[in-house]
Amino acid sequence: MAGHSKWATTKHKKAALDAKRGKLFANLIKKIEVAARTGGGDPAGNPTLYDAIQKAKKNSVPNDNIDRAVKRGGGEGNDAVSYDEITYEAYGPAGVAILIQCLTDNRNRSASDVKVAITRNGGTVADMGSVARVYDRKGVVEVKKTQPAADKKAADRVVTEDDLLEATLDAEPEDIVDEGDVFKIVCDPTNLVAVRKAVQDAGLDYESADLEFRPQFEQAVDSKEAAEKLFKLLDAIEDVDDVEAVYSNEDVPDEILESLDA
């Protein structure tokens, strides 16, 4: 799932890991099915499917599940499926702008479930477009800072921002963001495949290559009470089965995050 990096850190510390993992598996499978349906079932000719499969493998989704998802997305077999991508918009405490992406086979169910999660947890359903204008669609390639050496006897390779900039310069990255254990290379959506291939050509492994929404600005959340309410709201939205990704533009001070973790 995507979202603000500080929120992601806090969220994962508190998560019920088994439930989150099961939902992650389901979302990864859905993305494979959608990619296969829209671009064909051959990863060699469908970069979106290739990246969806790689991300699933990184998250330990079994190969049999991946193969079945590709076939379902391609319309093979009796259990072929069709998902729609839908975006919902909301405001949270302190005016935080929340963008919600769903993959669903039932639009009415998704709309109802998302609306209930928002309104019962202190959020407000926003008019279409009012939140989306705060976000830009970007390609994002995630690379771990520490890369395993090809030779098991050798030391792991530590990747720097300069390494990534040099490797991807011709693919026109817009930004390289340090997010703790990983770098995120941000680019125009049309350059996503080129950036990912540049990373691979440099002998580096990548964790994911996705299209994401990134906020144009961050909204300050200056009280512990507002932060608690916001994180409760984000948790409730992410728990909706059809929700694929949640983006929010909060900026919570470190001292408040630390007090919540405590």
Side-chain angles (χ1 to χ4, degrees), residues 4-34:
H4 192 282
S5 58
K6 290 181 181 178
W7 160 232
T9 301
T10 304
K11 174 186 62 179
H12 288 307
K13 287 179 181 177
K14 296 179 176 181
L17 293 178
D18 287 345
K20 293 288 185 182
R21 188 173 178 81
K23 177 127 189 278
L24 175 63
F25 272 33
N27 282 328
L28 292 170
I29 289 297
K30 283 183 182 179
K31 291 196 75 170
I32 290 171
E33 292 169 350
V34 170

Side-chain angles (χ1 to χ4, degrees), residues 95-168:
V96 170
I98 303 170
L99 201 62
I100 306 154
Q101 283 188 298
C102 291
L103 279 176
T104 181
D105 58 356
N106 187 321
R107 284 174 171 264
N108 291 335
R109 180 190 65 223
S110 294
S112 175
D113 290 351
V114 169
K115 183 177 180 180
V116 166
I118 294 168
T119 56
R120 288 186 179 176
N121 291 279
T124 304
V125 176
D127 293 334
M128 186 177 298
S130 61
V131 168
R133 63 184 176 83
V134 175
Y135 288 84
D136 294 318
R137 187 78 153 167
K138 295 293 181 182
V140 180
V141 179
E142 186 175 298
V143 180
K144 278 189 175 180
K145 290 182 178 179
T146 302
Q147 301 262 324
D151 182 353
K152 292 183 179 180
K153 295 181 180 179
D156 289 343
R157 177 180 178 181
V158 178
V159 180
T160 67
E161 184 174 337
D162 286 342
D163 292 334
L164 292 178
L165 183 59
E166 182 179 353
T168 62

